[in-house]
């Protein structure tokens, strides 16, 4: 296994009572790139994500981070290595302010995670960094807004800020533009591009327009197995990929799990 790959899977397989959801998937994510997992309904993309981050245990296969096996690690241990995952459903605290959400995330690298009882003066020391992160995702003007009041697209931007607060080396983004209108999608594309500087991103994404704009490499899954791999120009012209999407257009394909 090459040192240039930050995250790798060999023969990754997941079976559920005789049903093979993920079938001998090989995946190599190169350091410093944006890599997408795409595929039609039932392709197994999110299951692969769950296996890589140990929210599910593989039936077979090897997962390596910087050429070291992480098979025996828990999801929390993997996060501490620097592999930080976002979810399809916005994972923020709705009744805290935008600033407070980021501040909570900032406590984790300091070993103070979720110490809500800390004195306000201690937490206020994190405000400068929290505001910096909010500014980076276009939310500086929303710092004092209660999160539940944010529009959906802004909540996803906040989730990206909280992910960045955990100082990831590898960000795993699960359908970051799901449910968004065109304006929000364009904003989040730019945010991901900016957040990816100096990092590696692996993303599950249903919107091929997003993939075409962002991704250096694409792995196409179908029925739990790798169907094709390459840059967008290569995979979008692959007859097997077109057949798998059953005639769906090249800019928008429904997501799969």
């Amino acid at each position: 296994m090459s040192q240039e790959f930050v995250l790798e899977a060999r023969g990754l397989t997941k079976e559920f009572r005789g049903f093979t959801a993920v079938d001998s998937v090989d995946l190599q994510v190169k350091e410093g790139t944006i890599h997408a997992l795409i595929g039609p309904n039932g392709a197994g993309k999110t299951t692969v994500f769950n296996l890589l981050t140990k929210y599910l245990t593989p039936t077979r296969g090897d997962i390596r981070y910087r050429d070291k096996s992480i098979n025996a690690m828990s999801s929390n241990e993997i996060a501490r290595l620097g592999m930080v995952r976002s979810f399809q459903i916005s994972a923020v605290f709705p009744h805290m302010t935008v600033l407070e959400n980021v501040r909570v995330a900032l406590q984790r690298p300091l070993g103070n995670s979720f110490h809500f009882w800390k004195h306000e003066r201690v937490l206020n020391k994190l405000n400068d960094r929290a505001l910096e992160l909010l500014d980076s995702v276009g939310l500086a003007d929303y710092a004092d807004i209660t999160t539940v009041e944010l529009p959906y697209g802004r909540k996803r931007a906040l989730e990206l800020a909280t992910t960045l607060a955990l100082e990831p080396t590898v960000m795993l983004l699960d359908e970051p533009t799901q449910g968004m209108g065109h304006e929000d999608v364009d904003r989040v594309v730019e945010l991901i591009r900016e957040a990816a500087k100096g990092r590696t991103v692996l993303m599950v994404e249903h919107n091929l327009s997003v993939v075409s704009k962002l991704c250096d490499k694409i792995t196409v899954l179908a029925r739990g197995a790798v169907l094709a791999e390459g840059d967008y120009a290569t995979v979008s012209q692959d007859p097997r990929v077109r057949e798998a999407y059953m005639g769906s257009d090249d800019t928008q394909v429904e997501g799969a799990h």
Side-chain angles (χ1 to χ4, degrees):
M1 289 190 176
S2 171
Q3 290 293 326
E4 69 176 332
F5 298 116
V6 64
L7 179 62
E8 298 179 85
R10 291 282 180 92
L12 193 61
T13 300
K14 182 62 179 178
E15 296 170 350
F16 296 98
R17 297 182 181 179
F19 170 70
T20 303
V22 175
D23 188 5
S24 301
V25 166
D26 292 339
L27 182 69
Q28 295 178 316
V29 181
K30 191 173 181 180
E31 184 102 42
T33 63
I34 304 178
H35 191 129
L37 284 177
I38 70 170
N41 287 333
K45 306 188 299 293
T46 295
T47 305
V48 168
F49 245 41
N50 287 335
L51 293 170
L52 293 174
T53 51
K54 300 305 294 291
Y55 286 89
L56 286 175
T57 301
T59 304
R60 290 183 297 280
D62 188 31
I63 306 168
R64 304 185 77 82
Y65 176 79
R66 300 198 187 282
D67 209 22
K68 294 182 180 179
S69 177
I70 58 174
N71 281 21
M73 289 187 176
S74 68
S75 56
N76 286 336
E77 289 171 326
I78 288 170
R80 284 194 287 271
L81 286 177
M83 283 176 53
V84 178
R85 175 186 177 171
S86 74
F87 292 85
Q88 284 180 316
I89 301 169
S90 187
V92 291
F93 297 102
H95 299 296
M96 295 173 67
T97 68
V98 169
L99 178 68
E100 287 168 343
N101 266 279
V102 179
R103 205 165 58 180
V104 166
L106 284 169
Q107 291 178 65
R108 183 169 177 175
L110 300 176
N112 298 330
S113 186
F114 303 110
H115 283 192
F116 295 105
W117 58 90
K118 286 281 187 181
H119 195 282
E120 188 73 10
R121 283 177 300 183
V122 176
L123 296 180
N124 281 342
K125 293 178 182 178
L126 302 174
N127 283 354
D128 287 348
R129 177 57 179 154
L131 288 168
E132 185 179 303
L133 287 165
L134 289 175
D135 187 53
S136 74
V137 299
L139 291 178
D141 293 339
Y142 295 81
D144 296 324
I145 299 294
T146 304
T147 300
V148 72
E149 298 174 18
L150 288 179
Y152 181 72
R154 301 284 185 184
K155 286 179 183 173
R156 299 312 299 264
L158 174 57
E159 185 184 69
L160 184 58
T162 60
T163 301
L164 291 172
L166 299 176
E167 300 179 0
T169 54
V170 180
M171 290 197 303
L172 297 101
L173 306 178
D174 195 356
E175 304 258 19
T177 68
Q178 186 182 51
M180 292 185 183
H182 290 299
E183 183 179 333
D184 283 335
V185 167
D186 291 343
R187 182 185 298 114
V188 169
V189 165
E190 292 307 313
L191 293 179
I192 292 171
R193 182 178 286 119
E194 188 66 26
K197 292 178 180 178
R199 297 182 176 88
T200 304
V201 175
L202 177 63
M203 59 190 294
V204 168
E205 181 52 64
H206 69 286
N207 187 326
L208 292 190
S209 177
V210 169
V211 170
S212 70
K213 293 172 184 174
L214 276 177
C215 297
D216 303 296
K217 187 175 180 181
I218 299 163
T219 299
V220 185
L221 298 180
R223 299 183 181 91
V226 175
L227 181 66
E229 199 165 58
D231 60 17
Y232 180 77
T234 300
V235 300
S236 65
Q237 296 303 315
D238 191 311
R240 298 169 301 169
V241 175
R242 290 175 174 270
E243 183 180 356
Y245 278 117
M246 296 179 292
S248 294
D249 67 51
D250 284 340
T251 59
Q252 182 76 31
V253 176
E254 289 299 318
H257 311 294

